[in-house]
Amino acid sequence: MADPEQQVVGDKAPETRAPEVRGADVPAPVAPRGPEGRGGGDRGGGDRGQRGPRGRRPRQPEGPTLDKDGNELTEKVIFINRSAKVVKGGRRFSFSALVVVGDRKGKVGLGLGKASEVAEAIKKGGSVARQSMVKVALATTTIPHEILSAFDGARVLLRPASEGTGVIAGKTVRAVLDAAGVRNVLSKSLGSKNAANVAKATLSALQRLRTREEILRARGISVSVKAPVLA
């Protein structure tokens, strides 16, 4: 005999009960996403969309370097050398920079800086060069006389030139002469091509220059100033 609960009464279909869902099968509620995309909620990631564009930060403009007298100084890197030291973990690099500084009015200095970074080596070299600036004798835009100077294996020959000639020199000699303010000169680098020795030989040649007035004064001869001839 059939179960009375399963018999169809009139036109009604038998009622089916939904299976009971156990607690372990209930899916965990999904946390709502924040308005900024990833993160959201209380995790603190909703502010990621407010970051600025990526890339290098623009450098702050630097003013010209001035000396004690208020003259603007020009700084130029002549040579950068890299050396490596083998250590237990690998190779350790260090850099040295040769820098020349001058006011283009007869004052020039040479400096060598060493550091583990190129920028720091250049900064140290410029600081040393500014502290070691010396005064050189010039004849307007050229040098007073011919001179030959040597430093270690490098020899540098400098000759005065007429107006409009320009600086006829190599890279290293030109950098030192430009910083000193020489605009017309003939030069020849003899012997070693080492940048440090050539630069020091050029600076030594500029320091040995003497004007006509200085030579006469050293000999005890009075320097007479000629009066201008009126036409």
Side-chain angles (χ1 to χ4, degrees):
M1 188 172 182
D3 192 341
E5 295 181 359
Q6 296 181 356
Q7 293 180 355
V8 179
V9 180
D11 297 336
K12 295 182 180 180
E15 295 181 358
T16 57
R17 297 181 180 180
E20 297 180 359
V21 181
R22 299 181 180 179
D25 299 334
V26 178
V30 179
R33 292 179 177 267
E36 301 295 340
R38 294 187 303 172
D42 298 333
R43 292 188 295 174
D47 296 336
R48 293 183 180 179
Q50 299 179 0
R51 293 182 180 180
R54 295 184 179 181
R56 294 184 177 180
R57 297 181 180 179
R59 293 185 177 181
Q60 298 295 333
E62 298 181 359
T65 306
L66 304 178
D67 60 358
K68 297 180 181 179
D69 301 333
N71 298 324
E72 183 176 352
L73 301 178
T74 60
E75 180 177 322
K76 187 172 184 180
V77 179
I78 298 178
F79 182 73
I80 296 178
N81 184 44
R82 187 187 72 172
S83 61
K85 179 182 179 181
V86 180
V87 295
K88 185 176 180 181
R91 290 188 299 174
R92 183 177 301 171
F93 294 99
S94 62
F95 301 89
S96 60
L98 184 64
V99 183
V100 61
V101 176
D103 61 352
R104 294 185 177 179
K105 295 180 182 180
K107 293 181 66 177
V108 62
L110 196 65
L112 180 66
K114 298 181 181 180
S116 59
E117 298 292 339
V118 176
E120 188 67 20
I122 295 175
K123 182 179 179 180
K124 289 183 179 180
S127 177
V128 173
R130 284 189 292 271
Q131 294 175 3
S132 61
M133 292 182 65
V134 294
K135 184 73 175 179
V136 298
L138 300 179
T140 60
T141 60
T142 186
I143 57 179
H145 54 83
E146 179 181 331
I147 189 169
L148 175 64
S149 180
F151 188 90
D152 284 349
R155 293 184 299 162
V156 175
L157 173 64
L158 301 179
R159 289 181 177 177
S162 58
E163 187 69 27
T165 303
V167 179
I168 309 300
K171 174 185 175 181
T172 305
V173 179
R174 177 189 297 272
V176 179
L177 295 177
D178 285 343
V182 182
R183 301 176 185 175
N184 301 284
V185 69
L186 301 173
S187 70
K188 180 66 177 178
S189 178
L190 308 170
S192 174
K193 303 299 180 183
N194 183 274
N197 291 341
V198 173
K200 292 177 182 179
T202 306
L203 182 60
S204 176
L206 294 177
Q207 290 180 292
R208 291 168 52 196
L209 293 175
R210 296 292 182 269
T211 61
R212 177 177 177 271
E213 291 76 11
E214 291 177 352
I215 296 174
L216 294 178
R217 193 179 301 109
R219 295 178 180 179
I221 303 175
S222 60
V223 181
S224 60
V225 180
K226 295 182 179 179
V229 179
L230 300 177

